């Protein structure tokens, strides 16, 4: 019957249009022992998953280190895996979350050793590293007002104690040569875009940055890290975005090649992994009620 033929054609046309309108997003999650990636569509459907282990070094008790190059290579592997067979021109965005570990680079963006052995590939002080216990105690004894925003006591797992430890223990080999200190989520967005933008999530939660007033120079000066107040806080970040905001011009050509994506693909300002998990749970709860 003609009317049935028309209905079938209309349905096919609608199906083709829906297919044409499908867009994709890539999320990369860097945990302590592995990197995971997911490909999702705009409806929230997870279409592909991949995982790649990353290395952890424990050169002595309470010292845990990783390699930014090893982590980036793992990001590239899982990203390329989940986008296999997909038209990458339909990928609308890329987002990173990661542990709040400390990444150190020199003025040429090369890794710097955060260890007495001088192993430059080990340039990350992990979140769970507790080498800076005494530095954390001294910072807390100052009772500076910035501590009020972290519950009154700074954890040894935050960045200021670790930075002070590096200054006091690796002054010649690392501290004096270091030009860039990143939280790992921000390192990943820099690696993807070449932008030194930091996420409000990382700086507020782990670095004492305040969303309404920025850095408090009196804190850095009081704890003996006055170097960070120079050059507009260039070493620790002076351009800050809310999580999820687009980072400048998106994927750089080099990073796009590494990840198997298109240059210019939007990259979101990053999140700490635990915070991303909380957001994911909330979104999943909302979607399940729809």
């Amino acid at each position: 019957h003609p009317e049935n033929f028309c209905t079938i054609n209309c349905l096919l046309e609608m199906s083709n249009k829906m297919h044409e309108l499908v867009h994709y997003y890539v999320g990369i999650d860097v945990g302590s022992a592995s990197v995971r990636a997911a490909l999702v569509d705009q409806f929230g459907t997870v279409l592909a998953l991949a995982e790649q282990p990353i290395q952890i070094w424990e050169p002595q008790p309470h010292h845990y280190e990783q390699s930014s190059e090893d982590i980036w290579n793992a990001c590239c592997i899982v990203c390329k895996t989940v986008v296999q067979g997909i038209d990458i021109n339909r990928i609308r965005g890329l987002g990173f979350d990661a542990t709040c570990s400390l990444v150190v680079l020199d003025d040429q963006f090369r890794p710097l050793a955060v260890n007495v052995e001088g192993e430059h590939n080990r340039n990350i002080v992990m979140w769970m590293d507790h080498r800076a216990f005494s530095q954390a105690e001294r910072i807390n004894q100052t009772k500076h007002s910035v501590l009020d925003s972290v519950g009154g006591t700074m954890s040894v797992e935050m960045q200021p104690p670790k930075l002070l430890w590096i200054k006091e223990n690796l002054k010649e080999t690392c501290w004096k040569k270091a030009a860039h200190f990143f939280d790992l989520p921000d390192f990943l967005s820099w690696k993807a875009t070449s932008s030194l933008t930091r996420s409000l999530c990382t700086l507020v939660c782990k670095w004492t940055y305040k969303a309404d007033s920025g850095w408090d120079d009196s804190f850095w000066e009081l704890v003996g890290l006055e170097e960070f107040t120079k050059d507009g806080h260039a070493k620790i970040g002076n351009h800050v975005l809310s999580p999820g905001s687009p980072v400048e011009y998106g994927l750089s050509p080099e990073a796009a090649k590494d990840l198997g994506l298109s240059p210019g693909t939007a990259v979101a300002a990053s999140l700490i992994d635990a915070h991303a998990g909380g957001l994911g749970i909330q979104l999943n709860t909302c979607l399940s009620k729809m």
Side-chain angles (χ1 to χ4, degrees):
H1 296 281
E3 62 272 16
N4 291 340
F5 182 74
C6 180
T7 302
I8 292 171
N9 276 350
C10 290
L11 289 172
L12 287 172
E13 187 176 344
M14 289 175 60
S15 176
N16 289 335
K17 285 183 177 179
M18 283 294 293
H19 181 70
E20 289 173 5
L21 293 173
V22 172
H23 300 310
Y24 305 102
Y25 300 86
V26 177
I28 297 180
D29 166 45
V30 179
S32 299
S34 67
V35 176
R36 281 84 62 176
L39 177 74
V40 301
D41 62 22
Q42 74 263 42
F43 308 108
T45 305
V46 178
L47 304 171
L49 295 168
E51 184 173 5
Q52 179 73 15
I54 50 179
Q55 193 163 357
I56 298 173
W57 287 268
E58 186 185 2
Q60 53 185 293
H62 309 300
H63 289 228
Y64 295 94
E65 299 165 5
Q66 289 186 308
S67 162
S68 62
E69 292 183 345
D70 178 48
I71 289 174
W72 179 250
N73 289 337
C75 289
C76 296
I77 290 169
V78 294
C79 187
K80 286 180 176 178
T81 299
V82 297
V83 301
Q84 283 182 357
I86 296 296
D87 179 358
I88 60 174
N89 294 312
R90 291 191 184 178
I91 296 174
R92 290 293 182 263
L94 168 67
F96 294 97
D97 73 72
T99 64
C100 44
S101 301
L102 177 65
V103 185
V104 187
L105 304 178
D106 69 10
D107 59 357
Q108 300 298 312
F109 297 97
R110 295 172 301 200
L112 275 174
V114 294
N115 49 75
V116 296
E117 295 84 3
E119 295 291 337
H120 291 303
N121 65 307
R122 288 156 40 197
N123 68 314
I124 296 178
V125 182
M126 287 188 70
W127 65 271
M128 62 185 184
D129 185 294
H130 284 195
R131 70 182 71 182
F133 181 80
S134 66
Q135 286 78 10
E137 281 194 325
R138 277 185 276 138
I139 289 172
N140 286 323
Q141 287 168 4
T142 68
K143 300 189 182 301
H144 192 282
S145 60
V146 299
L147 299 177
D148 294 340
S149 62
V150 294
T153 302
M154 180 169 289
S155 166
V156 67
E157 294 178 2
M158 292 182 67
Q159 307 305 4
K162 294 173 182 176
L163 293 162
L164 189 55
W165 186 94
I166 291 173
K167 181 177 181 178
E168 294 176 347
N169 293 273
L170 302 173
K171 194 164 189 176
E172 298 300 324
T173 59
C174 181
W175 184 257
K176 288 185 176 180
K177 298 177 180 179
H180 305 281
F181 296 93
F182 291 97
D183 222 85
L184 181 54
D186 294 327
F187 164 82
L188 294 170
S189 60
W190 164 76
K191 190 72 174 175
T193 65
S194 299
S195 170
L196 294 173
T197 297
R198 302 313 204 267
S199 169
L200 193 63
C201 175
T202 58
L203 294 195
V204 168
C205 294
K206 299 297 176 180
W207 293 74
T208 75
Y209 187 88
K210 291 189 176 181
D212 58 349
S213 57
W215 296 114
D216 187 330
D217 288 351
S218 68
F219 168 74
W220 295 115
E221 292 164 353
L222 183 62
V223 301
L225 294 170
E226 63 279 353
E227 293 89 343
F228 292 145
T229 67
K230 311 300 182 185
D231 302 318
H233 310 95
K235 289 188 175 184
I236 54 175
N238 51 29
H239 183 210
V240 185
L241 290 175
S242 296
S245 301
V247 179
E248 294 200 10
Y249 303 108
L251 272 184
S252 68
E254 182 180 0
K257 182 178 180 181
D258 289 346
L259 294 164
L261 301 175
S262 297
T265 299
V267 177
S270 57
L271 279 166
I272 295 170
D273 58 347
H275 296 221
L279 179 62
I281 290 171
Q282 183 63 34
L283 288 173
N284 188 59
T285 302
C286 293
L287 288 171
S288 66
K289 294 179 179 178
M290 292 176 65

